[in-house]
Amino acid sequence: ADVVFVDQSPIGKSARSNPASYVGAWGAIRNLFARTQLAAERGYTPGTFSFNAGDGRCPACTGSGFEHVEMQFLSDVYLRCAECDGKRFRPEVLEVRLEAGCSIAEVLAMTVSEAIAQFAAHREVIAMLAPLVDVGLDYLALGQPVPTLSGGEAQRLKLAGHLAEAGARRKGAKGALFVFDEPTTGLHFEDIARLLGAFDKLLAAGHSLLVIEHN
């Protein structure tokens, strides 16, 4: 049904995109915060816990957590927002905590493996974070800006996104042909084994793979 080229080119330039949003887990996490008792009492919705829009984000940095300073002859500088201390949200929104005691900013600071332990009882969140583990990106922070990833990490994040889509794909739908350009570059042998496992999942979902590889 489609041909998808997965290489090591950067995934856009938006610093607001992160691993959690890329695989679709961020929406499910925001829903959990919106269902807490304090959020219900205050009339908060999932949109309140968005750092891209709405009234819940820090007004000074508009939810980015930093101030972007353009330098004329040097690389641009990113300074932590003095208003929210890089936490992206208003203080009253940070008062809302899940049953385990974490705020929305603390969830963004968690690594993927820490988040999987935190949300073990929430199958929807786990299902969306699992592809990040499958491709060996469990050490990334959920809120890490996508432009800061290396080429290899960007390629594996793209693969994780496709794995998340494959998990939600209806049976009988036509598969895609995935073309991977040297996906093992810079990977440890254990990571290569994980990568092959991720490839097997794509195949099991009915897709085809063409892998260009010198390893």
Side-chain angles (χ1 to χ4, degrees):
D2 195 11
V3 179
V4 182
F5 181 53
V6 186
D7 63 358
Q8 297 199 4
S9 61
I11 306 173
K13 294 182 179 180
S14 173
R16 292 177 179 274
S17 179
N18 57 48
S21 62
Y22 194 84
V23 296
W26 189 237
I29 291 170
R30 289 193 291 125
N31 289 339
L32 292 179
F33 275 94
R35 290 202 293 264
T36 60
Q37 185 177 345
L38 183 57
E41 289 172 359
R42 295 181 177 180
Y44 291 170
T45 66
T48 308
F49 299 95
S50 170
F51 50 77
N52 287 323
D55 299 329
R57 61 183 181 169
C58 169
C61 64
T62 62
S64 65
F66 54 80
E67 295 176 57
H68 179 195
V69 181
E70 292 188 20
M71 307 293 282
Q72 196 163 3
F73 301 110
L74 301 170
S75 298
D76 290 356
V77 174
Y78 294 91
L79 301 175
R80 181 176 292 188
C81 174
E83 189 77 23
C84 67
D85 193 30
K87 294 179 180 175
R88 301 187 181 203
F89 295 92
R90 293 177 181 271
E92 58 268 29
V93 174
L94 296 175
E95 291 171 1
V96 179
R97 294 180 173 273
L98 296 177
E99 61 270 14
C102 57
S103 69
I104 192 87
E106 289 167 345
V107 171
L108 280 170
M110 290 178 183
T111 64
V112 173
S113 55
E114 288 169 346
I116 282 183
Q118 176 75 47
F119 294 104
H122 302 283
R123 292 173 58 186
E124 183 184 5
V125 177
I126 296 298
M128 292 177 178
L129 292 178
L132 292 169
V133 178
D134 291 341
V135 299
L137 294 179
D138 48 335
Y139 59 88
L140 291 182
L142 293 188
Q144 182 169 339
V146 162
T148 65
L149 302 181
S150 69
E153 288 171 335
Q155 186 177 32
R156 284 185 285 156
L157 183 57
K158 293 175 191 175
L159 172 56
H162 292 305
L163 284 174
E165 289 175 9
R169 185 169 159 269
R170 68 181 188 278
K171 287 186 177 180
K174 282 188 176 181
L177 171 62
F178 286 94
V179 182
F180 287 90
D181 185 11
E182 298 195 50
T184 68
T185 302
L187 293 188
H188 187 272
F189 287 121
E190 288 183 11
D191 291 325
I192 293 174
R194 277 179 158 183
L195 183 70
L196 291 173
F199 283 171
D200 286 339
K201 290 191 175 184
L202 281 180
L203 293 172
H207 300 297
S208 303
L209 305 183
L210 177 61
V211 185
I212 300 128
E213 184 57 76
H214 298 288
N215 189 335

